[in-house]
């Protein structure tokens, strides 16, 4: 039972799910994952009460946890069925990583900021997650060891698509990446077909920059 000392925010989570549904999220697996995931554990201490409002929040190291509706939209686009291997670039808080652990068979997540990676690793351990493998490093080069991936999600914005990510996508796989300028981008979905890559613009978005060899070179 919820107490004043340690609220479990179940009601707030249900309200958030209703809001996502009203906003066009129809994938029941995604909605269930959101309903089961304690987002308040992924935001800084003291703002737990704001975790189920549909907004982004600062998580330290100059980074932000994205809005729940953005995560839900991303995940719905991937149409995961539970058997996939997915690569996430930009672990950040680890909240989306938790959602992925529930929606796919195995998730691999790369983050360049050590304090964020450690925080995410700890919370996911607390949540009992066992199908996620983390790496500290530059995600613009992907993670060759476990490729190919059925889905690749990039949670930071790039000037162009990093070639290694295309190379590491399985045939039939989908890559989601915000592409464009530093202050405004287009969420882009690339599907790998047997002979070519198909590219589709989804919606305008604003993400923090993807920094690295195949991303932006300075913060
Ligand atoms: N989905 C995360 C988003 C965090 S913000 C969340 O909602 O919490 C984007 C993250 O991408 C930041 O943590 C940033 O440090 C990370 N990042 C930026 N460039 C990167 C790179 N080349 N490789 C790995 N992570 C990167």
């Amino acid at each position: 039972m919820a107490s004043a000392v340690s609220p479990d925010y179940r009601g707030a989570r249900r309200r958030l799910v209703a809001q996502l549904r009203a906003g066009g999220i129809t994938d029941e697996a995604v909605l269930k994952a959101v309903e089961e995931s304690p987002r308040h554990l992924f935001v800084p201490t003291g703002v737990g009460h704001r975790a189920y409002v549909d907004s982004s929040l600062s998580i330290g190291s100059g980074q932000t946890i994205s809005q729940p509706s953005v995560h839900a939209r991303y995940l719905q686009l991937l149409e995961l069925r539970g058997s996939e291997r997915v690569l996430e670039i930009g672990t950040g808080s680890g909240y989306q990583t938790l959602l992925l652990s529930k929606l796919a068979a195995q998730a691999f997540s790369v983050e360049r900021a050590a304090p964020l990676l450690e925080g995410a690793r700890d919370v996911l351990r607390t949540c009992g997650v066992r199908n996620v493998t983390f790496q500290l490093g530059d995600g613009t080069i992907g993670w060759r060891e476990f490729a190919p991936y059925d889905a690749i999600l990039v949670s930071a914005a790039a000037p162009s698509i990093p070639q290694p990510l295309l190379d590491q996508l399985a045939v039939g796989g989908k890559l989601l990446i915000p592409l464009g300028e530093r202050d405004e981008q287009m969420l882009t979905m690339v599907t790998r077909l047997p002979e070519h890559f198909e590219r589709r613009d989804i919606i305008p978005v604003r993400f923090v920059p993807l920094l690295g060899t195949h991303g932006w070179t300075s913060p």
Side-chain angles (χ1 to χ4, degrees):
M1 203 176 132
S3 75
V5 180
S6 163
D8 70 4
Y9 297 106
R10 212 169 298 174
R13 242 178 346 259
R14 260 198 299 270
R15 283 192 293 280
L16 173 61
V17 166
Q19 202 180 330
L20 294 177
R21 221 184 261 283
I25 303 300
T26 51
D27 186 322
E28 291 300 328
V30 171
L31 293 166
K32 182 166 181 274
V34 171
E35 183 147 5
E36 289 174 350
S37 298
R39 189 170 185 265
H40 60 279
L41 301 182
F42 296 85
V43 303
T45 323
V47 296
H49 62 287
R50 291 184 54 205
Y52 301 101
V53 175
D54 190 22
S55 70
S56 56
L57 290 167
S58 176
I59 53 171
S61 300
Q63 304 300 329
T64 52
I65 176 171
S66 307
Q67 262 175 276
S69 57
V70 170
H71 289 301
R73 171 76 69 111
Y74 247 68
L75 295 167
Q76 173 160 287
L77 284 164
L78 293 178
E79 300 177 292
L80 298 171
R81 291 295 162 256
S83 57
E84 298 84 358
R85 291 151 61 81
V86 303
L87 174 66
E88 177 185 53
I89 310 299
T91 316
S93 66
Y95 174 66
Q96 179 173 267
T97 323
L98 176 63
L99 297 176
L100 283 172
S101 76
K102 294 172 186 286
L103 294 166
Q106 251 189 314
F108 300 87
S109 190
V110 185
E111 170 59 55
R112 67 186 289 280
L116 292 177
L117 187 76
E118 289 317 312
R121 206 197 287 272
D122 285 351
V123 188
L124 265 77
R125 197 178 294 132
T126 306
C127 294
V129 170
R130 305 180 73 123
N131 59 345
V132 176
T133 312
F134 293 99
Q135 173 160 270
L136 181 67
D138 176 9
T140 69
I141 61 169
W143 194 348
R144 201 166 293 281
E145 193 181 347
F146 300 104
Y149 302 98
D150 303 303
I152 301 179
L153 294 89
V154 185
S155 296
S160 60
I161 306 175
Q163 184 63 40
L165 300 185
L166 293 174
D167 297 341
Q168 293 172 31
L169 197 59
V171 173
K174 292 176 185 166
L175 162 69
L176 269 176
I177 182 166
L179 290 176
E181 302 307 316
R182 275 179 173 256
D183 50 356
E184 201 185 7
Q185 310 94 29
M186 178 60 72
L187 178 60
T188 307
M189 185 158 80
V190 179
T191 306
R192 182 169 202 165
L193 300 172
E195 303 294 335
H196 68 290
F197 292 91
E198 194 179 76
R199 187 172 158 160
R200 194 175 124 206
D201 288 351
I202 308 290
I203 37 161
V205 287
R206 285 190 66 169
F207 277 76
V208 297
L210 181 73
L211 301 171
T213 310
H214 300 274
W216 296 100
T217 47
S218 65

